[in-house]
Short mmCIF file of all heavy atoms in Angstrom, two decimals:
data_model
loop_
_atom_site.label_atom_id
_atom_site.label_comp_id
_atom_site.label_asym_id
_atom_site.label_seq_id
_atom_site.Cartn_x
_atom_site.Cartn_y
_atom_site.Cartn_z
N MET A 27 -39.16 -33.36 14.99
CA MET A 27 -39.25 -32.33 13.98
C MET A 27 -38.53 -31.10 14.53
O MET A 27 -38.83 -30.64 15.62
CB MET A 27 -40.71 -32.05 13.67
CG MET A 27 -40.89 -31.03 12.59
SD MET A 27 -42.63 -30.72 12.24
CE MET A 27 -42.82 -31.74 10.82
N SER A 28 -37.61 -30.55 13.78
CA SER A 28 -36.91 -29.35 14.23
C SER A 28 -37.57 -28.11 13.65
O SER A 28 -38.18 -28.15 12.59
CB SER A 28 -35.43 -29.40 13.81
OG SER A 28 -35.35 -29.32 12.41
N SER A 29 -37.45 -27.02 14.38
CA SER A 29 -38.01 -25.77 13.87
C SER A 29 -36.88 -24.85 13.46
O SER A 29 -35.81 -24.84 14.04
CB SER A 29 -38.88 -25.11 14.94
OG SER A 29 -38.08 -24.69 16.01
N THR A 30 -37.12 -24.12 12.42
CA THR A 30 -36.14 -23.16 11.93
C THR A 30 -36.74 -21.78 12.09
O THR A 30 -37.89 -21.55 11.72
CB THR A 30 -35.83 -23.40 10.44
OG1 THR A 30 -35.40 -24.75 10.29
CG2 THR A 30 -34.78 -22.46 9.93
N THR A 31 -35.96 -20.88 12.64
CA THR A 31 -36.43 -19.51 12.76
C THR A 31 -35.67 -18.62 11.80
O THR A 31 -34.49 -18.85 11.53
CB THR A 31 -36.25 -18.98 14.20
OG1 THR A 31 -34.87 -19.03 14.53
CG2 THR A 31 -37.05 -19.79 15.19
N THR A 32 -36.34 -17.67 11.30
CA THR A 32 -35.73 -16.70 10.40
C THR A 32 -35.35 -15.48 11.23
O THR A 32 -36.18 -14.94 11.95
CB THR A 32 -36.71 -16.28 9.29
OG1 THR A 32 -37.14 -17.46 8.61
CG2 THR A 32 -36.08 -15.33 8.31
N PRO A 33 -34.09 -15.04 11.12
CA PRO A 33 -33.70 -13.86 11.90
C PRO A 33 -34.45 -12.63 11.41
O PRO A 33 -34.86 -12.56 10.25
CB PRO A 33 -32.20 -13.73 11.63
CG PRO A 33 -31.96 -14.48 10.38
CD PRO A 33 -33.02 -15.54 10.30
N PRO A 34 -34.67 -11.66 12.29
CA PRO A 34 -35.36 -10.45 11.86
C PRO A 34 -34.54 -9.69 10.81
O PRO A 34 -33.32 -9.84 10.73
CB PRO A 34 -35.48 -9.63 13.15
CG PRO A 34 -34.41 -10.16 14.03
CD PRO A 34 -34.22 -11.60 13.66
N LEU A 35 -35.25 -8.92 10.01
CA LEU A 35 -34.55 -8.12 8.99
C LEU A 35 -33.61 -7.13 9.66
O LEU A 35 -33.92 -6.54 10.68
CB LEU A 35 -35.57 -7.34 8.15
CG LEU A 35 -36.44 -8.17 7.23
CD1 LEU A 35 -37.50 -7.30 6.58
CD2 LEU A 35 -35.62 -8.87 6.17
N GLN A 36 -32.46 -6.98 9.09
CA GLN A 36 -31.46 -6.05 9.60
C GLN A 36 -31.27 -4.93 8.58
O GLN A 36 -31.34 -5.15 7.39
CB GLN A 36 -30.12 -6.77 9.80
CG GLN A 36 -30.19 -7.96 10.72
CD GLN A 36 -30.12 -7.56 12.17
OE1 GLN A 36 -29.45 -6.62 12.52
NE2 GLN A 36 -30.83 -8.28 13.01
N GLY A 37 -30.96 -3.75 9.04
CA GLY A 37 -30.63 -2.66 8.14
C GLY A 37 -31.83 -2.06 7.43
O GLY A 37 -32.96 -2.19 7.87
N ARG A 38 -31.53 -1.44 6.30
CA ARG A 38 -32.55 -0.73 5.53
C ARG A 38 -32.84 -1.47 4.23
O ARG A 38 -31.96 -2.09 3.65
CB ARG A 38 -32.02 0.66 5.20
CG ARG A 38 -31.79 1.51 6.44
CD ARG A 38 -30.94 2.72 6.18
NE ARG A 38 -31.36 3.48 5.01
CZ ARG A 38 -30.56 4.35 4.40
NH1 ARG A 38 -29.34 4.57 4.82
NH2 ARG A 38 -31.00 5.01 3.36
N PRO A 39 -34.08 -1.37 3.73
CA PRO A 39 -34.40 -1.98 2.45
C PRO A 39 -33.56 -1.36 1.34
O PRO A 39 -33.32 -0.15 1.32
CB PRO A 39 -35.88 -1.64 2.24
CG PRO A 39 -36.41 -1.27 3.57
CD PRO A 39 -35.25 -0.72 4.33
N LEU A 40 -33.11 -2.18 0.42
CA LEU A 40 -32.32 -1.74 -0.73
C LEU A 40 -33.17 -1.97 -1.98
O LEU A 40 -33.59 -3.08 -2.26
CB LEU A 40 -31.03 -2.56 -0.80
CG LEU A 40 -30.09 -2.27 -1.95
CD1 LEU A 40 -29.56 -0.85 -1.86
CD2 LEU A 40 -28.96 -3.27 -1.95
N ILE A 41 -33.42 -0.89 -2.71
CA ILE A 41 -34.25 -0.97 -3.91
C ILE A 41 -33.48 -0.40 -5.09
O ILE A 41 -32.97 0.71 -5.03
CB ILE A 41 -35.57 -0.20 -3.70
CG1 ILE A 41 -36.32 -0.81 -2.53
CG2 ILE A 41 -36.41 -0.23 -4.97
CD1 ILE A 41 -37.48 -0.02 -2.07
N TYR A 42 -33.43 -1.17 -6.15
CA TYR A 42 -32.70 -0.79 -7.36
C TYR A 42 -33.69 -0.77 -8.52
O TYR A 42 -34.40 -1.75 -8.74
CB TYR A 42 -31.60 -1.83 -7.61
CG TYR A 42 -30.82 -1.61 -8.87
CD1 TYR A 42 -29.77 -0.70 -8.91
CD2 TYR A 42 -31.13 -2.31 -10.02
CE1 TYR A 42 -29.05 -0.50 -10.07
CE2 TYR A 42 -30.41 -2.12 -11.18
CZ TYR A 42 -29.38 -1.21 -11.19
OH TYR A 42 -28.67 -1.02 -12.33
N GLY A 43 -33.76 0.33 -9.24
CA GLY A 43 -34.64 0.35 -10.39
C GLY A 43 -34.95 1.74 -10.89
O GLY A 43 -34.29 2.71 -10.54
N GLU A 44 -35.98 1.82 -11.69
CA GLU A 44 -36.29 3.04 -12.41
C GLU A 44 -37.14 4.03 -11.62
O GLU A 44 -37.87 3.67 -10.72
CB GLU A 44 -37.03 2.70 -13.70
CG GLU A 44 -38.42 2.14 -13.44
CD GLU A 44 -39.12 1.69 -14.71
OE1 GLU A 44 -38.53 1.72 -15.79
OE2 GLU A 44 -40.29 1.31 -14.59
N VAL A 45 -36.96 5.26 -12.00
CA VAL A 45 -37.86 6.34 -11.59
C VAL A 45 -38.17 7.10 -12.88
O VAL A 45 -37.28 7.33 -13.69
CB VAL A 45 -37.23 7.25 -10.50
CG1 VAL A 45 -35.91 7.81 -10.93
CG2 VAL A 45 -38.19 8.35 -10.10
N LEU A 46 -39.43 7.40 -13.09
CA LEU A 46 -39.82 8.03 -14.36
C LEU A 46 -41.06 8.88 -14.16
O LEU A 46 -41.62 8.92 -13.07
CB LEU A 46 -40.08 6.96 -15.42
CG LEU A 46 -41.03 5.81 -15.05
CD1 LEU A 46 -42.48 6.19 -15.21
CD2 LEU A 46 -40.71 4.59 -15.89
N PHE A 47 -41.44 9.56 -15.19
CA PHE A 47 -42.68 10.32 -15.19
C PHE A 47 -43.64 9.64 -16.16
O PHE A 47 -43.29 9.39 -17.31
CB PHE A 47 -42.46 11.76 -15.64
CG PHE A 47 -41.92 12.65 -14.57
CD1 PHE A 47 -40.56 12.80 -14.41
CD2 PHE A 47 -42.77 13.32 -13.71
CE1 PHE A 47 -40.05 13.61 -13.41
CE2 PHE A 47 -42.28 14.14 -12.70
CZ PHE A 47 -40.91 14.28 -12.56
N ASP A 48 -44.84 9.34 -15.67
CA ASP A 48 -45.91 8.92 -16.56
C ASP A 48 -46.52 10.20 -17.11
O ASP A 48 -46.84 11.11 -16.35
CB ASP A 48 -46.97 8.12 -15.80
CG ASP A 48 -46.46 6.78 -15.32
OD1 ASP A 48 -45.77 6.10 -16.09
OD2 ASP A 48 -46.75 6.42 -14.16
N ILE A 49 -46.63 10.30 -18.43
CA ILE A 49 -47.19 11.49 -19.05
C ILE A 49 -48.51 11.12 -19.71
O ILE A 49 -48.56 10.25 -20.57
CB ILE A 49 -46.20 12.10 -20.07
CG1 ILE A 49 -44.89 12.44 -19.36
CG2 ILE A 49 -46.81 13.32 -20.74
CD1 ILE A 49 -43.79 12.93 -20.27
N PHE A 50 -49.57 11.79 -19.26
CA PHE A 50 -50.91 11.50 -19.72
C PHE A 50 -51.39 12.57 -20.69
O PHE A 50 -50.79 13.65 -20.77
CB PHE A 50 -51.86 11.43 -18.52
CG PHE A 50 -51.52 10.30 -17.57
CD1 PHE A 50 -50.76 10.54 -16.44
CD2 PHE A 50 -51.95 9.01 -17.83
CE1 PHE A 50 -50.44 9.51 -15.57
CE2 PHE A 50 -51.63 7.98 -16.97
CZ PHE A 50 -50.88 8.22 -15.84
N PRO A 51 -52.47 12.30 -21.42
CA PRO A 51 -53.01 13.32 -22.32
C PRO A 51 -53.25 14.63 -21.56
O PRO A 51 -53.61 14.63 -20.38
CB PRO A 51 -54.35 12.72 -22.78
CG PRO A 51 -54.13 11.23 -22.67
CD PRO A 51 -53.25 11.06 -21.46
N GLY A 52 -52.99 15.72 -22.25
CA GLY A 52 -53.10 17.02 -21.61
C GLY A 52 -51.81 17.39 -20.88
O GLY A 52 -51.77 18.35 -20.12
N GLU A 53 -50.76 16.59 -21.10
CA GLU A 53 -49.43 16.83 -20.51
C GLU A 53 -49.39 16.70 -18.98
O GLU A 53 -48.50 17.23 -18.34
CB GLU A 53 -48.87 18.20 -20.94
CG GLU A 53 -48.56 18.28 -22.41
CD GLU A 53 -47.51 17.28 -22.87
OE1 GLU A 53 -46.45 17.17 -22.25
OE2 GLU A 53 -47.78 16.59 -23.87
N LYS A 54 -50.36 16.00 -18.39
CA LYS A 54 -50.30 15.74 -16.95
C LYS A 54 -49.14 14.76 -16.70
O LYS A 54 -49.06 13.70 -17.33
CB LYS A 54 -51.61 15.14 -16.45
CG LYS A 54 -51.58 14.82 -14.98
CD LYS A 54 -52.89 14.24 -14.51
CE LYS A 54 -52.78 13.89 -13.04
NZ LYS A 54 -53.97 13.23 -12.54
N LYS A 55 -48.23 15.13 -15.79
CA LYS A 55 -47.06 14.30 -15.49
C LYS A 55 -47.13 13.83 -14.05
O LYS A 55 -47.36 14.61 -13.14
CB LYS A 55 -45.78 15.11 -15.69
CG LYS A 55 -45.60 15.59 -17.11
CD LYS A 55 -44.37 16.47 -17.25
CE LYS A 55 -44.28 16.99 -18.66
NZ LYS A 55 -44.66 18.35 -18.81
N VAL A 56 -46.94 12.51 -13.86
CA VAL A 56 -47.00 11.91 -12.53
C VAL A 56 -45.71 11.15 -12.29
O VAL A 56 -45.33 10.28 -13.07
CB VAL A 56 -48.21 10.96 -12.41
CG1 VAL A 56 -48.24 10.31 -11.04
CG2 VAL A 56 -49.51 11.70 -12.69
N LEU A 57 -45.03 11.49 -11.21
CA LEU A 57 -43.79 10.82 -10.84
C LEU A 57 -44.09 9.39 -10.46
O LEU A 57 -45.03 9.12 -9.71
CB LEU A 57 -43.14 11.57 -9.67
CG LEU A 57 -41.78 11.12 -9.20
CD1 LEU A 57 -40.76 11.12 -10.32
CD2 LEU A 57 -41.31 12.02 -8.06
N GLY A 58 -43.31 8.44 -10.96
CA GLY A 58 -43.59 7.04 -10.66
C GLY A 58 -42.48 6.11 -11.07
O GLY A 58 -41.30 6.45 -11.02
N GLY A 59 -42.89 4.94 -11.53
CA GLY A 59 -41.98 3.84 -11.77
C GLY A 59 -42.12 2.89 -10.59
O GLY A 59 -42.05 3.32 -9.44
N ALA A 60 -42.36 1.62 -10.84
CA ALA A 60 -42.65 0.67 -9.76
C ALA A 60 -41.60 0.67 -8.65
O ALA A 60 -41.95 0.77 -7.48
CB ALA A 60 -42.86 -0.73 -10.33
N PRO A 61 -40.30 0.58 -8.97
CA PRO A 61 -39.31 0.58 -7.88
C PRO A 61 -39.34 1.87 -7.06
O PRO A 61 -39.24 1.83 -5.83
CB PRO A 61 -37.97 0.41 -8.61
CG PRO A 61 -38.32 -0.24 -9.90
CD PRO A 61 -39.66 0.33 -10.27
N PHE A 62 -39.50 3.00 -7.74
CA PHE A 62 -39.56 4.27 -7.02
C PHE A 62 -40.79 4.32 -6.12
O PHE A 62 -40.73 4.78 -4.99
CB PHE A 62 -39.56 5.45 -7.98
CG PHE A 62 -39.59 6.77 -7.28
CD1 PHE A 62 -38.44 7.27 -6.68
CD2 PHE A 62 -40.76 7.51 -7.19
CE1 PHE A 62 -38.46 8.49 -6.01
CE2 PHE A 62 -40.78 8.73 -6.52
CZ PHE A 62 -39.63 9.21 -5.93
N ASN A 63 -41.93 3.84 -6.62
CA ASN A 63 -43.14 3.83 -5.82
C ASN A 63 -42.97 2.98 -4.56
O ASN A 63 -43.43 3.35 -3.49
CB ASN A 63 -44.34 3.33 -6.64
CG ASN A 63 -44.80 4.35 -7.65
OD1 ASN A 63 -44.54 5.54 -7.53
ND2 ASN A 63 -45.49 3.88 -8.68
N VAL A 64 -42.30 1.84 -4.70
CA VAL A 64 -42.05 0.99 -3.53
C VAL A 64 -41.17 1.74 -2.53
O VAL A 64 -41.46 1.77 -1.33
CB VAL A 64 -41.39 -0.34 -3.95
CG1 VAL A 64 -40.88 -1.11 -2.73
CG2 VAL A 64 -42.37 -1.20 -4.74
N ALA A 65 -40.10 2.37 -3.01
CA ALA A 65 -39.20 3.12 -2.12
C ALA A 65 -39.95 4.25 -1.43
O ALA A 65 -39.79 4.47 -0.22
CB ALA A 65 -38.02 3.67 -2.92
N TRP A 66 -40.76 4.96 -2.16
CA TRP A 66 -41.53 6.08 -1.61
C TRP A 66 -42.48 5.61 -0.51
O TRP A 66 -42.58 6.21 0.55
CB TRP A 66 -42.27 6.76 -2.76
CG TRP A 66 -43.19 7.86 -2.37
CD1 TRP A 66 -42.92 8.90 -1.51
CD2 TRP A 66 -44.52 8.06 -2.80
NE1 TRP A 66 -44.01 9.73 -1.41
CE2 TRP A 66 -45.02 9.23 -2.21
CE3 TRP A 66 -45.36 7.36 -3.67
CZ2 TRP A 66 -46.30 9.71 -2.43
CZ3 TRP A 66 -46.63 7.86 -3.90
CH2 TRP A 66 -47.08 9.01 -3.28
N HIS A 67 -43.16 4.49 -0.75
CA HIS A 67 -44.08 3.97 0.25
C HIS A 67 -43.34 3.44 1.48
O HIS A 67 -43.79 3.61 2.61
CB HIS A 67 -44.99 2.91 -0.36
CG HIS A 67 -46.09 3.49 -1.19
ND1 HIS A 67 -45.93 3.75 -2.53
CD2 HIS A 67 -47.32 3.89 -0.87
CE1 HIS A 67 -47.04 4.29 -3.00
NE2 HIS A 67 -47.90 4.39 -2.01
N LEU A 68 -42.21 2.79 1.27
CA LEU A 68 -41.41 2.33 2.42
C LEU A 68 -40.94 3.52 3.25
O LEU A 68 -40.90 3.45 4.48
CB LEU A 68 -40.23 1.49 1.95
CG LEU A 68 -40.58 0.11 1.41
CD1 LEU A 68 -39.33 -0.57 0.84
CD2 LEU A 68 -41.23 -0.76 2.46
N GLN A 69 -40.59 4.62 2.58
CA GLN A 69 -40.22 5.84 3.29
C GLN A 69 -41.38 6.33 4.14
O GLN A 69 -41.20 6.73 5.29
CB GLN A 69 -39.78 6.93 2.30
CG GLN A 69 -39.41 8.24 2.92
CD GLN A 69 -38.12 8.17 3.72
OE1 GLN A 69 -37.29 7.30 3.53
NE2 GLN A 69 -37.94 9.12 4.62
N ALA A 70 -42.58 6.27 3.59
CA ALA A 70 -43.77 6.72 4.32
C ALA A 70 -44.01 5.86 5.57
O ALA A 70 -44.54 6.34 6.56
CB ALA A 70 -44.99 6.67 3.41
N PHE A 71 -43.58 4.59 5.52
CA PHE A 71 -43.70 3.70 6.68
C PHE A 71 -42.53 3.86 7.65
O PHE A 71 -42.44 3.15 8.64
CB PHE A 71 -43.79 2.24 6.23
CG PHE A 71 -45.11 1.87 5.61
CD1 PHE A 71 -45.15 1.31 4.34
CD2 PHE A 71 -46.31 2.07 6.28
CE1 PHE A 71 -46.35 0.96 3.75
CE2 PHE A 71 -47.52 1.73 5.70
CZ PHE A 71 -47.55 1.17 4.43
N GLY A 72 -41.59 4.76 7.33
CA GLY A 72 -40.47 5.03 8.22
C GLY A 72 -39.32 4.05 8.10
O GLY A 72 -38.49 3.95 9.01
N LEU A 73 -39.21 3.33 6.96
CA LEU A 73 -38.17 2.32 6.81
C LEU A 73 -36.90 2.82 6.14
O LEU A 73 -35.94 2.06 5.99
CB LEU A 73 -38.73 1.10 6.06
CG LEU A 73 -39.86 0.39 6.79
CD1 LEU A 73 -40.42 -0.74 5.93
CD2 LEU A 73 -39.39 -0.14 8.13
N ALA A 74 -36.86 4.08 5.74
CA ALA A 74 -35.67 4.72 5.16
C ALA A 74 -34.96 3.85 4.12
O ALA A 74 -33.81 3.47 4.28
CB ALA A 74 -34.70 5.11 6.27
N PRO A 75 -35.63 3.53 3.00
CA PRO A 75 -35.00 2.68 1.99
C PRO A 75 -33.82 3.35 1.30
O PRO A 75 -33.73 4.57 1.24
CB PRO A 75 -36.12 2.44 0.98
CG PRO A 75 -36.96 3.67 1.09
CD PRO A 75 -36.93 4.02 2.55
N GLN A 76 -32.91 2.52 0.83
CA GLN A 76 -31.82 2.99 -0.02
C GLN A 76 -32.27 2.74 -1.46
O GLN A 76 -32.38 1.59 -1.87
CB GLN A 76 -30.54 2.22 0.28
CG GLN A 76 -30.04 2.42 1.69
CD GLN A 76 -28.79 1.62 1.93
OE1 GLN A 76 -27.78 1.84 1.27
NE2 GLN A 76 -28.85 0.69 2.86
N PHE A 77 -32.54 3.81 -2.19
CA PHE A 77 -33.02 3.70 -3.56
C PHE A 77 -31.86 3.95 -4.50
O PHE A 77 -31.24 5.02 -4.46
CB PHE A 77 -34.16 4.69 -3.80
CG PHE A 77 -34.72 4.65 -5.19
CD1 PHE A 77 -35.33 3.50 -5.67
CD2 PHE A 77 -34.63 5.74 -6.02
CE1 PHE A 77 -35.85 3.45 -6.95
CE2 PHE A 77 -35.14 5.71 -7.31
CZ PHE A 77 -35.76 4.56 -7.77
N ILE A 78 -31.55 2.98 -5.35
CA ILE A 78 -30.44 3.10 -6.29
C ILE A 78 -31.01 3.26 -7.69
O ILE A 78 -31.72 2.38 -8.20
CB ILE A 78 -29.54 1.85 -6.24
CG1 ILE A 78 -28.99 1.67 -4.83
CG2 ILE A 78 -28.41 1.97 -7.26
CD1 ILE A 78 -28.27 0.37 -4.62
N SER A 79 -30.72 4.40 -8.30
CA SER A 79 -31.20 4.67 -9.64
C SER A 79 -30.37 5.80 -10.23
O SER A 79 -29.37 6.22 -9.64
CB SER A 79 -32.69 5.06 -9.62
OG SER A 79 -33.22 5.07 -10.92
N ARG A 80 -30.79 6.26 -11.37
CA ARG A 80 -30.10 7.34 -12.04
C ARG A 80 -31.12 8.25 -12.69
O ARG A 80 -32.13 7.77 -13.19
CB ARG A 80 -29.18 6.74 -13.10
CG ARG A 80 -28.17 7.69 -13.63
CD ARG A 80 -27.11 6.96 -14.38
NE ARG A 80 -26.19 7.97 -14.86
CZ ARG A 80 -25.00 7.73 -15.27
NH1 ARG A 80 -24.55 6.51 -15.29
NH2 ARG A 80 -24.23 8.70 -15.69
N VAL A 81 -30.85 9.55 -12.65
CA VAL A 81 -31.74 10.52 -13.31
C VAL A 81 -30.89 11.44 -14.18
O VAL A 81 -29.69 11.60 -13.95
CB VAL A 81 -32.56 11.36 -12.30
CG1 VAL A 81 -33.49 10.46 -11.51
CG2 VAL A 81 -31.67 12.15 -11.38
N GLY A 82 -31.53 12.05 -15.14
CA GLY A 82 -30.84 12.98 -16.01
C GLY A 82 -30.58 14.31 -15.32
O GLY A 82 -31.17 14.64 -14.30
N SER A 83 -29.68 15.08 -15.90
CA SER A 83 -29.38 16.41 -15.35
C SER A 83 -30.22 17.46 -16.08
O SER A 83 -29.71 18.45 -16.59
CB SER A 83 -27.88 16.71 -15.48
OG SER A 83 -27.48 16.61 -16.84
N ASP A 84 -31.52 17.19 -16.13
CA ASP A 84 -32.46 18.08 -16.79
C ASP A 84 -33.57 18.45 -15.81
O ASP A 84 -33.50 18.11 -14.63
CB ASP A 84 -33.04 17.42 -18.05
CG ASP A 84 -33.75 16.10 -17.77
OD1 ASP A 84 -33.81 15.66 -16.60
OD2 ASP A 84 -34.25 15.50 -18.73
N GLY A 85 -34.58 19.12 -16.28
CA GLY A 85 -35.67 19.56 -15.42
C GLY A 85 -36.39 18.41 -14.73
O GLY A 85 -36.73 18.50 -13.55
N ARG A 86 -36.61 17.32 -15.44
CA ARG A 86 -37.30 16.18 -14.83
C ARG A 86 -36.44 15.53 -13.76
O ARG A 86 -36.94 15.14 -12.71
CB ARG A 86 -37.74 15.18 -15.89
CG ARG A 86 -38.86 15.71 -16.74
CD ARG A 86 -39.38 14.68 -17.72
NE ARG A 86 -40.38 15.29 -18.58
CZ ARG A 86 -40.61 14.92 -19.82
NH1 ARG A 86 -39.92 13.93 -20.35
NH2 ARG A 86 -41.54 15.53 -20.53
N GLY A 87 -35.15 15.41 -14.05
CA GLY A 87 -34.25 14.86 -13.04
C GLY A 87 -34.23 15.71 -11.78
O GLY A 87 -34.23 15.20 -10.66
N GLU A 88 -34.24 17.02 -11.97
CA GLU A 88 -34.27 17.94 -10.82
C GLU A 88 -35.57 17.79 -10.03
O GLU A 88 -35.56 17.88 -8.80
CB GLU A 88 -34.10 19.38 -11.29
CG GLU A 88 -32.71 19.67 -11.81
CD GLU A 88 -32.57 21.03 -12.48
OE1 GLU A 88 -33.53 21.84 -12.39
OE2 GLU A 88 -31.52 21.28 -13.08
N LYS A 89 -36.69 17.52 -10.73
CA LYS A 89 -37.96 17.33 -10.03
C LYS A 89 -37.93 16.04 -9.20
O LYS A 89 -38.48 16.00 -8.10
CB LYS A 89 -39.11 17.30 -11.02
CG LYS A 89 -39.44 18.66 -11.57
CD LYS A 89 -40.62 18.63 -12.50
CE LYS A 89 -40.87 20.03 -13.03
NZ LYS A 89 -42.05 20.11 -13.88
N VAL A 90 -37.29 15.00 -9.71
CA VAL A 90 -37.16 13.75 -8.95
C VAL A 90 -36.36 14.01 -7.68
O VAL A 90 -36.78 13.64 -6.58
CB VAL A 90 -36.48 12.65 -9.80
CG1 VAL A 90 -36.14 11.44 -8.93
CG2 VAL A 90 -37.36 12.24 -10.97
N VAL A 91 -35.21 14.66 -7.84
CA VAL A 91 -34.36 14.96 -6.68
C VAL A 91 -35.11 15.83 -5.68
O VAL A 91 -35.07 15.58 -4.47
CB VAL A 91 -33.04 15.63 -7.12
CG1 VAL A 91 -32.23 16.09 -5.92
CG2 VAL A 91 -32.22 14.66 -7.97
N GLY A 92 -35.83 16.83 -6.17
CA GLY A 92 -36.59 17.71 -5.29
C GLY A 92 -37.69 16.96 -4.53
O GLY A 92 -37.89 17.19 -3.34
N ALA A 93 -38.38 16.06 -5.22
CA ALA A 93 -39.44 15.28 -4.55
C ALA A 93 -38.84 14.39 -3.48
O ALA A 93 -39.38 14.29 -2.36
CB ALA A 93 -40.21 14.45 -5.58
N MET A 94 -37.73 13.75 -3.79
CA MET A 94 -37.08 12.88 -2.80
C MET A 94 -36.63 13.69 -1.58
O MET A 94 -36.77 13.25 -0.44
CB MET A 94 -35.90 12.14 -3.42
CG MET A 94 -36.31 11.08 -4.43
SD MET A 94 -34.91 10.23 -5.18
CE MET A 94 -34.39 9.19 -3.80
N LYS A 95 -36.12 14.88 -1.83
CA LYS A 95 -35.69 15.74 -0.73
C LYS A 95 -36.88 16.14 0.13
O LYS A 95 -36.84 16.06 1.35
CB LYS A 95 -34.98 16.98 -1.28
CG LYS A 95 -34.43 17.89 -0.23
CD LYS A 95 -33.66 19.05 -0.85
CE LYS A 95 -33.10 19.96 0.23
NZ LYS A 95 -32.36 21.08 -0.33
N THR A 96 -37.97 16.55 -0.52
CA THR A 96 -39.19 16.94 0.20
C THR A 96 -39.71 15.81 1.07
O THR A 96 -40.16 16.05 2.20
CB THR A 96 -40.28 17.37 -0.81
OG1 THR A 96 -39.81 18.52 -1.53
CG2 THR A 96 -41.59 17.69 -0.12
N TRP A 97 -39.64 14.58 0.58
CA TRP A 97 -40.16 13.43 1.32
C TRP A 97 -39.14 12.85 2.31
O TRP A 97 -39.42 11.86 2.96
CB TRP A 97 -40.62 12.34 0.35
CG TRP A 97 -41.75 12.79 -0.54
CD1 TRP A 97 -42.73 13.69 -0.23
CD2 TRP A 97 -41.99 12.38 -1.87
NE1 TRP A 97 -43.58 13.84 -1.30
CE2 TRP A 97 -43.15 13.05 -2.32
CE3 TRP A 97 -41.36 11.50 -2.74
CZ2 TRP A 97 -43.69 12.87 -3.59
CZ3 TRP A 97 -41.89 11.32 -4.00
CH2 TRP A 97 -43.04 12.00 -4.42
N GLY A 98 -37.96 13.46 2.38
CA GLY A 98 -36.94 12.99 3.32
C GLY A 98 -36.26 11.71 2.90
O GLY A 98 -35.68 11.00 3.72
N MET A 99 -36.28 11.42 1.60
CA MET A 99 -35.66 10.18 1.10
C MET A 99 -34.15 10.37 0.93
O MET A 99 -33.68 11.45 0.57
CB MET A 99 -36.29 9.77 -0.23
CG MET A 99 -37.76 9.40 -0.13
SD MET A 99 -38.52 9.04 -1.72
CE MET A 99 -37.76 7.43 -2.08
N ASP A 100 -33.42 9.31 1.17
CA ASP A 100 -31.97 9.28 1.00
C ASP A 100 -31.67 9.40 -0.49
O ASP A 100 -32.15 8.61 -1.30
CB ASP A 100 -31.43 7.96 1.55
CG ASP A 100 -29.93 7.82 1.46
OD1 ASP A 100 -29.27 8.65 0.81
OD2 ASP A 100 -29.41 6.87 2.06
N ARG A 101 -30.87 10.39 -0.88
CA ARG A 101 -30.53 10.60 -2.29
C ARG A 101 -29.08 10.23 -2.58
O ARG A 101 -28.59 10.46 -3.68
CB ARG A 101 -30.77 12.08 -2.64
CG ARG A 101 -32.23 12.46 -2.47
CD ARG A 101 -32.51 13.93 -2.64
NE ARG A 101 -31.61 14.86 -1.96
CZ ARG A 101 -31.69 15.19 -0.67
NH1 ARG A 101 -32.61 14.65 0.10
NH2 ARG A 101 -30.87 16.06 -0.14
N SER A 102 -28.39 9.61 -1.64
CA SER A 102 -26.96 9.32 -1.81
C SER A 102 -26.67 8.27 -2.88
O SER A 102 -25.55 8.20 -3.38
CB SER A 102 -26.33 8.90 -0.48
OG SER A 102 -26.92 7.71 0.01
N ASN A 103 -27.65 7.45 -3.23
CA ASN A 103 -27.44 6.42 -4.27
C ASN A 103 -28.14 6.76 -5.58
O ASN A 103 -28.35 5.90 -6.41
CB ASN A 103 -27.95 5.06 -3.76
CG ASN A 103 -27.12 4.56 -2.61
OD1 ASN A 103 -25.91 4.45 -2.72
ND2 ASN A 103 -27.77 4.28 -1.49
N LEU A 104 -28.49 8.03 -5.73
CA LEU A 104 -29.17 8.46 -6.94
C LEU A 104 -28.16 9.03 -7.90
O LEU A 104 -27.32 9.84 -7.53
CB LEU A 104 -30.23 9.52 -6.58
CG LEU A 104 -31.19 9.93 -7.67
CD1 LEU A 104 -32.04 8.73 -8.13
CD2 LEU A 104 -32.08 11.04 -7.19
#
């Protein structure tokens, strides 16, 4: 019986998807979107993910960019 080994992960995680605001009654806004949440958590673990998405050039888009900057996330693919 032969054994197969999987090489260790190389590079940084690549995540492609949405970033959005969940808006709740009373106008409470929470930054989210499943792909963004994954990228944010990977950043917290020190894995420096590459998050690929798009945001508008409006106030909400600026808040996304600002949050990513605050958390030290790479914004080059946004």
Side-chain angles (χ1 to χ4, degrees):
M27 182 180 262
S28 67
S29 67
T30 304
T31 59
T32 304
L35 292 174
Q36 302 278 326
R38 296 165 48 198
L40 179 64
I41 300 170
Y42 176 83
E44 68 185 5
V45 55
L46 51 82
F47 280 91
D48 292 317
I49 301 175
F50 296 97
E53 294 299 310
K54 179 180 178 184
K55 299 176 183 105
V56 178
L57 185 56
F62 182 76
N63 287 338
V64 169
W66 175 47
H67 283 89
L68 289 174
Q69 178 69 21
F71 287 124
L73 297 176
Q76 296 179 62
F77 180 63
I78 301 171
S79 191
R80 194 166 180 163
V81 296
S83 57
D84 59 359
R86 290 185 185 150
E88 290 172 8
K89 286 182 181 183
V90 171
V91 173
M94 290 179 73
K95 183 176 180 180
T96 298
W97 298 329
M99 295 176 73
D100 181 351
R101 299 173 313 279
S102 63
N103 294 305
L104 190 62

